[in-house]
Every structure is written in structure tokens, then in C-alpha cells.
Amino acid sequence: MFIALDDTDSTEGMCTTYLTCLILRKFKEINLIADIPNLVRLNPNIPYKTRGNGACWFHIDDNNLSGERKKEIKTIVLDLLKKYSRFEDENTNPACVFLDDENFKINFEILNKFYKKAVSELCTIEEADEISGKINATAYKFKNGRGIVGCLACLGCDFSDLTYELLIYRTEENFGKERMIDEESVFEMHKLLYPGTYDNVNEEEHKLVFMPHGKDPILCGIRGNSIEVVNKAFSLIKFNEEISFTRIFRTNQHTDAHLMFKKISELKQYDAAIVAGTVIENPKRIAKGHTFFKISDGTATFTCAAYGVTRLKNIAFNLVKGDKVRLYGGIESHKDTFNIEKIEILELAKIYKKENPVCPNCKIRMKSEGTNKGFQCKNCKLRLKNDAVKFIEVPRNLKQEIYEVEPGHRRHLSKQLCRYKI
Ligand code: ATP
């Protein structure tokens, strides 16, 4: 039996992974052992998300389960969901879905198609309801029931690329309090295990970036390419507060699963995409360093943005008209700009600066006589025409490579360069 959960938390607390863990702990008490749980991130641009737009699912072998036992499972899941979901928040619209193994197997293509849409574009509750009926799922929806989108989409994740996250949960009395972790132990661990595990620290700013900031139950999350590496990392970190429990999730984080190649004319609001084009206007910078420029791919033009908190704003500001780029990112709510997660420089335009000629007799730089009036040597008074001007190529301070944001500013789904070789 596959069980999926979504939209249980609010910015004031809770987390769907925590609810998943509570359910799995309860199952263990009654000798029901589930496979490794899954945390599937969906489109980061959709307006309904609380934080990282994550949904969870897990599987229990239902071969030898009696009807009574299946009923008991549903009761546990629904009771805990009702007990812990943040119903009071107007943006919390929980759902959970139960799907038996047979229906999962025969309908995986439908689920996978829906996942591919939900990780990259906007879906409706109606679309999800229709799929739920088609695949014989049992869905429970609360309030407007939007959580059903995430529940069905996460079940369709194919994990063609995957990572793991070891989540460490706090004891209830610490919820909302400052997170207490020995900083240096994390840096030591990073020195030993990066790039097997990543996004734990920001070296430039010498700070930890693997902790959320809100009132949720998570102390921190260790992300990595294997179960072994996240376990090893955990064993090396010193925690200065009590840990309630830990759990490893299989995830689609850091795989770029959300980015679909699109033409600019195909871009819709909330899309996550990869577009390629030519810079058609030199970048402009506004307050806080936010940098905007326009690109065209022949089908349409679009304004692209690199925001002030990341180093990408400096990369973007150094682009010039004529540069060819591939941009990884998406369009967030109510903005007609493409927010950049990564910039790949495909081709750099040559830029030149004008220089006055050197006098052939005196070897000193000649003076301009005014616009289009040529040049004169102030020593020997030799005159040269305007076309004696020299065009000197200016070296570009960008390379033909991919530039990414620094750890701590990355989206959960964004694949970091250190994972490119995998
Ligand atoms: P957290 O990461 O802390 O668990 P969250 O950021 O995942 O929180 P949710 O509370 O899950 O946020 O809210 C996201 C809502 O958006 C859910 O109801 C989910 O079903 C819905 N949703 C997810 N992806 C899409 C999509 N592509 N189109 C429309 N709705 C979506």
C-alpha cells in the first residue's frame, strides 16, 4: 500500500516530513515496517507553498494484510493527520491518498506524467481529482483539499536521479527556540565529506546553512548522495540540544527535476524551465543589487532577474548585449520575470574600447580634436584622420561555464555543480 501526505504545515509550525515520521513510529509500535520514506519536492514557483513545496509518501507491503489491518492503517494515518495538521492556517489544505500496489503498478505512467507537470508547472485540484478517480486511489481531502495535488504528484516521482536527506528532529519543548549545533564540528565534517554531502555550510560567509529558521520541528537536514554519507556526517556533528529522533528520506532534491527545456514563447507563469537566448539589452541594476536584463531566442523576449542576495547578481551584471546564455530558473507568482537559479555562458560577445592613436614620430598618445575631427600630436603637431582610432578588445571577466548560487540560497531541487559529474 502506498500512502501519500501533503499540505499539513504552516509557517507557524509542523512539517509534512514530521507527520510522516510520527505515522511510521506508530506503525512500528504495531509491527508494521515501512520502506524508506520519500520526500518529493514539487514546483518551487507555485504560490500555495509554505516553504519548499515538499510532499511525502511511503510504502508498506500489503500482501498479507487483512481488511481489518488495512482499516487500522487508515485510521492511524487519518487520526495523526487530523491531530497535527495546521488547519487554522488559511493556506493549509491537507490531503492524504492511499493506493494499493496493483493500482500503483498499472497506473504509474499516469502518475509519472502528473508528477512531471507538477514539478515544473501549475496543476489544478480538478486535474488531481480526475487522476485519483482514474487510478482507484482513496483520497481524503480537508478544507479545499489542495494537498491532493502534491499527494498524487509525489507518487509519480520516478527518482531517475536521487539524493538522500537525514532529517534531525527537535524535542517539542525546543520548537521555536534557537537551534543549538556546534558550528566547528559541521565545518570539520564538511572538510571530510564534501561533495558527498553538501549545502551544510557557506564557506565564504562561514555560517551553517543546513538549518531551517522557523518554528518547525526540524533541527537540521543533512543532504547527500548516499545513505552512508549522510549517516557518517551525522555521526561527526556535535549537537548541543536534545535530539528527538532522526529519519532518512529518499528525495528528488538537487536533481534539477523541475527544469524543462522551453522556448521563451512557451513560458507560462509559475513555470520552472531552462531557456537559451541572446542578451539583447545590457543589464540594469536596482536597489540591493537586483539585476535585470532581457534575452531573446527568436521566438520571444523575456526579462530575467538575478536577485541581490546571491553572487549571481554580479555574474548577471557583467553580461553584455550579444552574449549567448542558457538560464536555469522559473517564473514566480505575479512577476513577469524569469528568476535565475544558474547561468550558463554559451558564448561571450567581444567588447572593445576606443583608444586614441600613438604619434608615429613622438611615440606619445595623440589628442582628440573633437567628435569626428581626428587627432593631433601635441608635440610635433602631426594630424591624423578619425579612422586612426584604435579598437582594443576588453578582456571579459566571465568564462564559458555554469555559475550557480552559493549554498544557503539554493532551491531544494536545484542541482549543484558538484553533483554534475554523477
Ligand atoms: P513544507 O515544505 O514545509 O512541507 P510546503 O512548502 O511543502 O511546505 P505545502 O504546505 O505542501 O507547502 O503546500 C503546497 C501546496 O501546493 C499543496 O497543497 C500542494 O498540493 C500544492 N501543489 C504542489 N505542487 C503544485 C503544482 N504544481 N500546482 C498546483 N498546486 C501544487
Side-chain angles (χ1 to χ4, degrees), residues 10-62:
S10 77
T11 48
E12 286 304 302
M14 258 300 286
C15 172
T16 304
T17 66
Y18 185 66
L19 175 62
T20 302
C21 294
L22 297 181
I23 294 169
L24 295 180
R25 279 153 62 103
K26 190 84 193 155
F27 280 0
K28 201 171 167 207
E29 281 172 23
I30 56 162
N31 295 322
L32 264 177
I33 305 295
D35 300 336
I36 184 169
N38 302 276
L39 164 60
V40 177
R41 299 286 177 181
L42 298 168
N43 186 352
N45 303 307
I46 64 125
Y48 318 112
K49 66 175 182 180
T50 311
R51 283 177 292 262
N53 199 9
C56 294
W57 70 264
F58 52 90
H59 173 256
I60 35 179
D61 187 359
D62 61 7

Side-chain angles (χ1 to χ4, degrees), residues 321-374:
K321 197 172 155 181
D323 285 342
K324 291 188 170 36
V325 290
R326 184 175 289 132
L327 303 177
Y328 304 66
I331 306 168
E332 272 191 55
S333 324
H334 315 301
K335 287 179 200 150
D336 46 8
T337 52
F338 188 88
N339 294 350
I340 306 166
E341 292 170 24
K342 283 185 286 221
I343 299 180
E344 182 176 354
I345 311 278
L346 300 175
E347 206 180 301
L348 287 169
K350 290 193 186 309
I351 49 175
Y352 298 91
K353 67 172 184 201
K354 277 186 188 173
E355 223 172 52
N356 294 358
V358 170
C359 170
N361 305 322
C362 312
K363 312 289 181 227
I364 57 168
R365 185 116 8 238
M366 299 176 80
K367 258 190 83 192
S368 167
E369 298 272 76
T371 313
N372 296 329
K373 288 189 181 141

Side-chain angles (χ1 to χ4, degrees), residues 210-229:
F210 71 156
M211 295 131 53
H213 300 288
K215 296 177 185 165
D216 57 277
I218 295 178
L219 176 57
C220 62
I222 305 170
R223 295 169 182 205
N225 293 329
S226 67
I227 292 179
E228 293 71 30
V229 80

